[in-house]
């Protein structure tokens, strides 16, 4: 009689949480207000308002937009607000900040929608390797969300995990 190979990983009660499932596949773009400044130093209100009225904002349809100012200039807050008003009907998501800030906001938005109670008293493996760039922020935020409810938290792949947390047994 041959020994049957048993896949114990497949039979285990481990739940794999893959952050790639929460990755926004919408294109990411940067809007640099520097291009609207006179000599890259001053925002002229009249010129800026004229630009806002004539610019084709539909080019940001379904895109994730990071709004920045890449030069050392004083830009009034209302100018960023005006950009946000123009982007809102078109952009999938937008933030003030660079692409790293945008990525953090996208994951924050996605992770806010998970039902943590689904993981109560479960053994969870947070998948580590993948094809998409997942920021460390997402791993830390997921840990913060799951820690109060899971029985066990691990990192990696189900066949090779790094233990992170194990709930103490209740007496």
């Amino acid at each position: 009689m041959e020994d049957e190979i048993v896949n114990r990983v497949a039979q285990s009660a481990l739940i794999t949480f893959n952050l790639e499932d929460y990755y926004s596949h919408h294109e990411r773009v940067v809007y640099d207000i520097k291009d609207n400044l006179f000599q890259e130093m001053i925002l002229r209100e009249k010129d800026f308002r004229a630009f806002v009225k004539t610019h084709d904002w539909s080019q940001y349809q379904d895109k994730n937009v990071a709004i920045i100012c890449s030069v050392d200039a004083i830009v009034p807050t209302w100018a960023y607000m005006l950009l946000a008003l123009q982007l809102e009907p078109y952009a999938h998501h937008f933030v003030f900040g660079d692409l790293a800030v945008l990525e953090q906001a996208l994951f924050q938005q996605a992770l806010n929608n998970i039902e943590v109670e689904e993981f109560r008293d479960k053994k969870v493996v947070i998948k580590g390797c993948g094809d998409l760039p997942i920021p460390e922020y997402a791993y830390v935020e997921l840990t913060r969300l799951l820690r109060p409810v899971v029985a066990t938290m691990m990192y990696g792949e189900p066949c090779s995990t790094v233990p992170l947390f194990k709930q103490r047994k209740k007496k």
Side-chain angles (χ1 to χ4, degrees), residues 29-31 33 65-69 80 83-84 87 94-98:
V29 297
V30 174
Y31 183 92
I33 200 168
V65 183
I67 303 169
I68 65 165
C69 183
Y80 295 115
L83 290 174
L87 289 168
F94 57 90
V95 298
F96 176 79
D98 61 15

Side-chain angles (χ1 to χ4, degrees), residues 24-110:
S24 172
H25 292 280
H26 296 268
E27 182 182 350
R28 287 139 175 83
V29 297
V30 174
Y31 183 92
D32 192 346
I33 200 168
K34 150 186 94 110
D35 299 331
N36 300 112
L37 302 178
F38 175 70
Q39 296 181 345
E40 293 187 356
M41 295 187 320
I42 301 167
L43 183 88
R44 292 180 168 169
E45 182 177 357
K46 184 178 178 183
D47 295 342
F48 185 64
R49 287 187 180 275
F51 165 79
V52 165
K53 285 183 181 178
T54 60
H55 186 67
D56 178 15
W57 296 100
S58 67
Q59 67 183 296
Y60 301 99
Q61 185 70 46
D62 295 326
K63 294 181 182 176
N64 294 313
V65 183
I67 303 169
I68 65 165
C69 183
S70 64
V71 295
D72 189 19
I74 298 173
V75 178
T77 303
W78 61 262
Y80 295 115
M81 295 169 71
L82 201 52
L83 290 174
L85 287 168
Q86 300 306 311
L87 289 168
E88 194 279 327
Y90 301 103
H92 176 259
H93 193 79
F94 57 90
V95 298
F96 176 79
D98 61 15
L99 289 172
V101 171
L102 176 62
E103 205 63 47
Q104 180 173 326
L106 291 170
F107 271 101
Q108 182 66 56
Q109 185 180 50

